[in-house]
Amino acid sequence: NKIQRSKFDFILISPGININKCDLKNYLKKNQKKIITDLDIFYSHHSKNKIITITGTNGKSTTAKLLDLILKDHKKDSRLCGNIGNPILSQSKISKNTLFVVEASSYQIAYSKLFKTNYAVILNISPDHIERHGSIKNYVSAKFKLITNQSKKDFAFLNSKDRYLKNKIKKSKFFSRLINVNPKLTNSFNKKVVNPYFLSQGNRENLSFIFSISKKLKLKENKILKIINKFKGLKYRQQIIYNSNKITLINDSKATTFASTMNILKVLKKVYWLVGGIGKLGDKFTLKKNECKNIKAYVFGKNKNFFIKKFKNKISYYCFKDLNTALKQVLKEINNSRDNLHRTVLFSPAAASFDSFKNFEERGKHFNFLLKKYRVKGIINAIR
């Protein structure tokens, strides 16, 4: 009752709050025009600074981090912030030369009212957060808002052939200069990128955006390649935890959709895939049966039926009550193998973590904890 009688100029909301499902939904929906985000407050104070904003379904954090490292290597006062975990309002000692690399989620963009960016980057689109946005159309519109808010002097980077973006481009009115990014690296860049982290198609596609943005910012190619080839990746994003001539262990806990997992599955052989969690509405497993020959799926958790329906007649799968028992079985099978073939254990859940964990970070930490536990107990001889 008190809040109903109170008057506010603005309502600053955490993007994670769904105004259609929270306790204050009636009040928030009635005052939706007053809702703003931290991006809006930031922009109202620093609109004259150069801002590069990166969004998309997969690869936002990695691309933003990589671009920030490249800018820093060029002696730029670059600040990495936003959805990547560095709150945008925590930045200090900002000068007129400070440049911001902002990772923005669809939730942040959808709620924002004032925020604008000089460089808008939409890496890719695949079905995600449909339960929140209501439809893939609304999800795409939230992302595309970055571009429709731009002016004539701004730039928008996207793949105009992306199946979800091409119609949006035709039907939308926007003023910024559109730069079409070919997701395939040129042969010259392909030869110069030797970092194994960028073996997967998805990571290489996101690199094409790095090169495109860097060209517009007039950055030096040799410095760009130096940072790319030294890049170790971010935690829980296709992160190699252990590697030997017998086994590779990859922690890809950040993968919350099939789209984010399939890119790495395509380049691996003899894969023991640990998968499970809360499947995303509208998510599709599009690998064909002949592309799954080298993959065994170990499904963990309570939501097994979601994955069974996707994998049936395509991929060999086994079900387990939790990650612990699934991992035990995988390590046991590898330990008992008598050949010298290399195997990869891929922890890439392709689903949300909320059935068992707070978030993908907690899920990733738990996987690493289990690996350390089994190394101590000597469950698998190859891991020492």
Side-chain angles (χ1 to χ4, degrees):
N1 289 332
K2 285 183 180 180
I3 197 167
Q4 296 292 344
R5 291 194 299 270
S6 300
K7 291 184 179 180
F8 300 97
D9 295 318
F10 297 103
I11 301 170
L12 179 62
I13 195 168
S14 168
I17 293 173
N18 185 347
I19 64 170
N20 295 308
K21 292 185 177 180
C22 68
D23 292 341
L24 296 174
K25 64 180 180 180
N26 292 332
Y27 182 81
L28 291 173
K29 287 168 81 172
K30 185 180 177 182
N31 292 277
Q32 198 161 352
K33 289 183 179 180
K34 293 183 178 182
I35 291 176
I36 60 171
T37 69
D38 55 349
L39 292 181
D40 297 318
I41 295 175
F42 158 79
Y43 184 77
S44 67
H45 288 84
H46 304 294
S47 60
K48 292 184 179 180
N49 286 81
K50 191 173 285 186
I51 304 169
I52 303 169
T53 307
I54 297 172
T55 193
T57 305
N58 300 307
K60 297 185 294 295
S61 297
T62 298
T63 307
K65 178 64 177 177
L66 192 54
L67 181 59
D68 177 62
L69 290 172
I70 291 168
L71 290 167
K72 282 183 167 67
D73 197 54
H74 282 78
K75 308 303 179 187
K76 305 284 187 185
D77 179 20
S78 176
R79 309 291 180 87
L80 178 63
C81 50
N83 194 54
I84 197 166
N86 305 323
I88 200 165
L89 296 179
S90 68
Q91 302 299 314
S92 60
K93 296 180 181 178
I94 296 166
S95 73
K96 64 179 181 180
N97 295 319
T98 303
L99 185 158
F100 293 93
V101 178
V102 182
E103 183 198 324
S105 70
S106 58
Y107 299 167
Q108 287 175 300
I109 301 167
Y111 279 147
S112 67
K113 300 288 192 301
L114 310 172
F115 182 72
K116 294 181 182 180
T117 186
N118 306 108
Y119 300 84
V121 183
I122 303 180
L123 298 173
N124 49 63
I125 297 287
S126 57
D128 198 7
H129 305 306
I130 306 303
E131 60 284 334
R132 168 74 174 264
H133 292 287
S135 66
I136 185 67
K137 183 180 178 182
N138 292 343
Y139 175 60
V140 173
S141 294
K143 298 284 191 186
F144 207 81
K145 189 177 169 185
L146 265 189
I147 294 173
T148 54
N149 281 356
Q150 289 185 295
S151 68
K152 291 179 181 179
K153 62 183 181 180
D154 299 324
F155 298 90
F157 298 80
L158 48 74
N159 173 11
S160 60
K161 292 183 180 178
D162 184 290
R163 61 177 291 199
Y164 293 109
L165 288 174
K166 57 185 178 182
N167 289 331
K168 191 68 180 174
I169 294 167
K170 290 177 185 177
K171 295 177 181 178
S172 299
K173 185 178 180 181
F174 56 93
F175 302 100
S176 56
R177 287 168 277 185
L178 193 154
I179 296 176
N180 180 42
V181 179
N182 185 338
K184 291 186 178 179
L185 290 179
T186 62
N187 286 333
S188 61
F189 281 133
N190 251 327
K191 291 175 184 176
K192 291 173 183 175
V193 175
V194 295
N195 188 340
Y197 181 81
F198 295 103
L199 279 176
S200 73
Q201 182 184 336
N203 280 349
R204 287 187 99 74
E205 284 181 4
N206 292 337
L207 269 190
S208 63
F209 282 85
I210 290 285
F211 287 120
S212 186
I213 299 161
S214 297
K215 185 178 179 181
K216 183 56 64 179
L217 295 173
K218 298 179 180 178
L219 303 180
K220 295 179 180 179
E221 184 183 306
N222 62 328
K223 288 194 170 190
I224 298 165
L225 287 165
K226 181 188 77 174
I227 297 298
I228 287 172
N229 286 323
K230 284 199 314 183
F231 188 64
K232 299 295 183 184
L234 298 178
K235 273 189 174 183
Y236 317 130
R237 296 161 173 88
Q238 298 183 14
Q239 182 185 13
I240 297 174
I241 303 300
Y242 181 86
N243 193 30
S244 73
N245 60 359
K246 184 175 181 182
I247 186 170
T248 297
L249 301 169
I250 300 175
N251 189 335
D252 191 32
S253 179
K254 180 63 172 69
T256 57
T257 64
F258 285 126
S260 56
T261 298
M262 286 188 291
N263 279 319
I264 190 169
L265 281 173
K266 287 177 183 178
V267 298
L268 297 174
K269 294 178 181 178
K270 277 284 180 184
V271 184
Y272 295 74
W273 177 23
L274 292 157
V275 53
I278 302 174
K280 296 288 184 76
L281 188 65
D283 200 12
K284 295 179 181 179
F285 183 67
T286 57
L287 288 186
K288 296 175 182 176
K289 187 175 181 178
N290 65 336
E291 294 177 293
C292 299
K293 288 177 182 177
N294 288 314
I295 305 167
K296 288 182 182 179
Y298 295 76
V299 182
F300 61 87
K302 299 174 184 176
N303 303 290
K304 298 179 184 72
N305 287 339
F306 172 83
F307 298 96
I308 290 170
K309 287 176 184 176
K310 306 289 183 181
F311 297 159
K312 201 170 183 182
N313 300 322
K314 272 191 175 185
I315 190 170
S316 298
Y317 63 86
Y318 312 89
C319 296
F320 302 86
K321 66 175 183 178
D322 55 29
L323 176 59
N324 187 18
T325 51
L327 180 59
K328 270 187 180 180
Q329 179 60 32
V330 167
L331 298 180
K332 182 180 177 183
E333 286 184 30
I334 293 174
N335 223 9
N336 291 336
S337 60
R338 296 184 178 181
D339 57 53
N340 290 318
L341 295 175
H342 183 274
R343 289 165 169 79
T344 299
V345 178
L346 175 65
F347 176 54
S348 190
S353 57
F354 309 128
D355 58 330
S356 305
F357 305 95
K358 288 182 191 174
N359 48 45
F360 77 87
E361 288 101 339
E362 185 182 84
R363 180 167 65 182
K365 284 179 184 176
H366 184 66
F367 179 69
N368 287 349
F369 165 77
L370 291 175
L371 290 179
K372 286 181 181 178
K373 175 181 170 183
Y374 296 144
R375 285 175 70 175
V376 171
K377 288 188 175 182
I379 288 180
I380 176 164
N381 295 330
I383 306 174
R384 292 186 179 133

